[in-house]
Amino acid sequence: MTRLPHLALSLAGLSLLGGCAGVPSGTQPVGGFQLERYYGQWHEIARLPNSFEEGLSCVTADYSPREDGGVRVINSGLDADKGEWSQAEGRAYFTQGSETAALKVSFFGPFYGGYNVLALDDDYQWSLVAGADRDYLWILAREPQLDDGTYQALVDQAAELGFATDSLIKVEQGVACPVADGES
């Protein structure tokens, strides 16, 4: 797997452009959050366009515990045009207590951006995640595909919260995604 500096540096740009690790105004992160249930792999189903994921498909995020009490974040994606996998490793920490799904995440030095779970399945099978403002939005799921009804409900919820859902990019996942080097 190739570690592309473009992805890591661009993710650092999220921290700088987002300006902070806050929560978009008028939204509320999920309460009663159980981090241990959130650990593991998530597939990116859809996202708002951003420079650090431009051209990437088969995007996943893996969350696991860090020794310092934070969360280890590994984002991976395939640049199909180049035939290369890219990966960036970051760290995340709660900003409003461990039962509120508001975190700050960093992929580069001391710069942090927001990571806010705005909707979460009771069984932790899908989530709606925003950055510190309405420029960043992701729909994530445990499986590479999400049923149409759930997807549309999440899009509708995001639209009600003021996100530009007309700009959502559906991310190619599933059988179209080869296994990255070193993964099984």
Side-chain angles (χ1 to χ4, degrees), residues 72-140:
R72 181 177 183 223
V73 181
I74 298 181
N75 289 340
S76 302
L78 175 66
D79 183 331
D81 289 341
K82 295 179 181 177
E84 295 178 339
W85 284 94
S86 63
Q87 182 181 79
E89 182 172 342
R91 60 194 187 280
Y93 302 93
F94 285 103
T95 61
Q96 298 181 19
S98 64
E99 291 191 11
T100 302
L103 296 96
K104 61 182 183 177
V105 64
S106 176
F107 289 90
F108 182 72
F111 305 107
Y112 285 87
Y115 184 98
N116 303 289
V117 181
L118 302 181
L120 180 62
D121 175 54
D122 290 341
D123 293 326
Y124 286 63
Q125 295 303 300
W126 52 256
S127 66
L128 180 67
V129 177
D133 58 31
R134 285 178 176 74
D135 291 337
Y136 301 98
L137 182 74
W138 295 269
I139 295 174
L140 306 177

Side-chain angles (χ1 to χ4, degrees), residues 30-65:
V30 169
F33 185 68
Q34 297 174 17
L35 179 59
E36 297 77 22
R37 294 182 68 196
Y38 203 77
Y39 286 147
Q41 185 177 70
W42 291 82
H43 299 270
E44 188 177 274
I45 304 301
R47 66 174 176 255
L48 284 179
N50 60 64
S51 61
F52 52 90
E53 291 183 286
E54 187 173 343
L56 294 182
S57 59
C58 308
V59 178
T60 60
D62 288 279
Y63 305 101
S64 60

